[in-house]
Amino acid sequence: MKKLAALLLAAVMATSMIGCGSSTDGVVRPKNGLAEGKIGDTMRTYWFDFSVNSAYLCDSFSGYDAADGYNLLVVDITVTNTFSEILPMYDDDFWIDWDSDDDDAYAYPVENASSLSSNVLPSEYYLMIDETENGLLLYEIPDGYTDLAIAYIELTDQNETGDFFVVYFEPDQR
């Protein structure tokens, strides 16, 4: 399923469907199954809102060094439960994609990154009704890529796909 989601994002980036989704009051909602935004936009999914607040590239984060040929991408994200039930959340709900012709041009957060800093979102957590969680996601991406996108796709318990959400950005360098 993760490969399908990455292929969907690659197709979206390749066709440059900028402008899909609708925005009112600073909230981006899907239109025809797709919502596209930028840093600072509130993306409204079926279960929660999320916003990518900022992002930067670096070589090292809290003692964790990027592998040779890679950079670390640190993303500040806020997630708010807008659903009527407690939500299980996972750091790999959000993956990063970079502009490339390669089908493997995506990554999930670094495993166990929450052990590096209390600011990093845990691998798994729960959002209570109306609760907001803010934290960092840490990714390793190949050197040289600056046109990036964070993506989320709605999946039901029955593995049915819903709407697709993409936030495009160029990270700062630190």
Side-chain angles (χ1 to χ4, degrees):
M1 183 51 74
K2 289 181 179 182
K3 185 72 167 180
L4 169 66
L7 290 173
L8 284 171
L9 179 59
V12 168
M13 290 181 82
T15 57
S16 298
M17 296 175 62
I18 302 296
C20 291
S22 62
S23 176
T24 57
D25 301 328
V27 176
V28 179
R29 293 170 179 81
K31 180 178 178 184
N32 299 322
L34 176 64
E36 294 179 289
K38 60 188 182 322
I39 285 185
D41 287 343
T42 299
M43 309 299 286
R44 170 91 18 108
T45 77
Y46 183 77
W47 297 284
F48 58 86
D49 287 353
F50 75 93
S51 180
V52 175
N53 306 310
S54 64
Y56 67 90
L57 293 170
C58 58
D59 296 326
S60 181
F61 178 83
S62 292
Y64 181 89
D65 295 328
D68 286 341
Y70 285 79
N71 282 310
L72 294 179
L73 173 67
V74 181
V75 175
D76 182 302
I77 191 167
T78 301
V79 184
T80 301
N81 181 349
T82 58
F83 197 55
S84 59
E85 297 176 16
I86 297 170
L87 294 177
M89 297 293 299
Y90 305 90
D91 63 352
D92 65 1
D93 285 337
F94 303 97
W95 71 92
I96 193 73
D97 194 293
W98 48 92
D99 191 15
S100 172
D101 294 331
D102 184 1
D103 287 343
D104 293 326
Y106 67 95
Y108 291 94
V110 171
E111 287 187 38
N112 300 315
S114 61
S115 66
L116 301 172
S117 168
S118 62
N119 296 328
V120 176
L121 290 175
S123 316
E124 182 177 353
Y125 58 100
Y126 291 89
L127 279 177
M128 299 300 143
I129 298 168
D130 296 325
E131 181 181 20
T132 296
E133 185 73 36
N134 175 256
L136 303 176
L137 295 172
L138 181 67
Y139 302 88
E140 280 196 61
I141 65 167
D143 285 338
Y145 290 99
T146 58
D147 291 329
L148 304 175
I150 282 226
Y152 168 77
I153 190 167
E154 295 173 337
L155 291 174
T156 67
D157 290 341
Q158 294 78 32
N159 273 338
E160 296 172 354
T161 59
D163 295 322
F164 192 61
F165 299 82
V166 184
V167 177
Y168 299 100
F169 62 94
E170 290 185 26
D172 296 331
Q173 183 69 45
R174 291 195 186 168

